[in-house]
Amino acid sequence: MRRPSPCRRGLTLVELLLASAGAALVAAAALAVLGVAQYGEEDAHDYRTLVASRKAAHARLTASLRECRQVLAFGADYMVLWRSDLDGDDTPDLLELRRLSYDAAADTITLYDADPSATDVSYALTDNFQTVTDGLITAGTMTGRTWVTEVDAFTPTLDDATAADAAVVVLTLRITPGAFDDWLVVESRLRTDEGSS
């Protein structure tokens, strides 16, 4: 009868199970490290997007407000502005109107200006400019450009209870691109002295 040689001994079932468990632990650790790296890269991307969105929103909104002379109408999700008295008649005309509107469903702020080819119309300062601009937007006479995206909160405020007497406009909004969010406050002084002698 032949004896088994000590060199030809095979692996036992316990040894195989231990080797498999060790390999599984190493694979799980490698996947966890890769997952953390991926989440870290996604967070860095979201943060870079937030910073870029914030800068663009601040620049666009500040420029949109700074060139205006008067608030004509004001509400929780919109603001109608008189850009400037281009024809010097001391009344707002169609081509001098601007509207900022917040759409909570779409998380956007849209800037509306009159189509430059539209026939100019004069309005009285006592007109209801919310209704006027609603009609102009519906008719396509005022066209909109999405000015800020991923906005999930928006609060416009004025430095005076009477919109027409306001000299400073403050827009407070929260931008949320991805995993991060940030509050942005845009404060701008209107050109209220335009046209005064």
Side-chain angles (χ1 to χ4, degrees):
M1 185 180 265
R2 286 175 77 191
R3 284 191 192 171
S5 164
C7 322
R8 300 183 70 192
R9 183 177 171 265
L11 294 175
T12 66
L13 180 59
V14 172
E15 291 171 328
L16 283 173
L17 289 174
L18 286 174
S20 297
L25 286 174
V26 170
L31 287 174
V33 168
L34 290 173
V36 167
Q38 179 182 0
Y39 289 132
E41 181 59 33
E42 287 173 5
D43 284 351
H45 177 267
D46 287 349
Y47 185 73
R48 286 190 303 270
T49 302
L50 173 65
V51 170
S53 296
R54 192 178 190 285
K55 284 182 179 179
H58 190 275
R60 287 177 173 176
L61 292 171
T62 300
S64 299
L65 295 171
R66 187 178 292 144
E67 66 181 21
C68 296
R69 70 177 278 177
Q70 186 176 358
V71 177
L72 298 172
F74 167 79
D77 60 355
Y78 75 95
M79 186 176 294
V80 181
L81 300 150
W82 184 4
R83 290 172 50 197
S84 63
D85 192 10
L86 298 172
D87 56 9
D89 64 356
D90 281 333
T91 60
D93 299 327
L94 171 61
L95 297 177
E96 300 168 352
L97 298 180
R98 166 166 287 164
R99 178 170 169 159
L100 285 172
S101 293
Y102 170 58
D103 183 344
D107 294 336
T108 58
I109 296 174
T110 303
L111 175 80
Y112 292 93
D113 283 321
D115 181 345
S117 65
T119 303
D120 210 6
V121 177
S122 291
Y123 300 97
L125 285 169
T126 55
D127 285 345
N128 181 334
F129 284 95
Q130 178 187 12
T131 304
V132 167
T133 54
D134 282 345
L136 293 169
I137 291 167
T138 301
T141 307
M142 288 187 89
T143 55
R145 293 171 284 172
T146 301
W147 224 227
V148 186
T149 59
E150 296 168 320
V151 179
D152 67 1
F154 176 77
T155 306
T157 53
L158 305 174
D159 68 337
D160 197 293
T162 304
D165 295 334
V168 177
V169 174
V170 178
L171 303 177
T172 306
L173 52 141
R174 186 170 62 198
I175 302 174
T176 311
F180 295 98
D181 64 58
D182 194 16
W183 286 94
L184 172 63
V185 177
V186 177
E187 182 174 341
S188 185
R189 178 166 289 279
L190 302 174
R191 297 184 308 163
T192 54
D193 59 345
E194 180 191 285
S196 60
S197 330

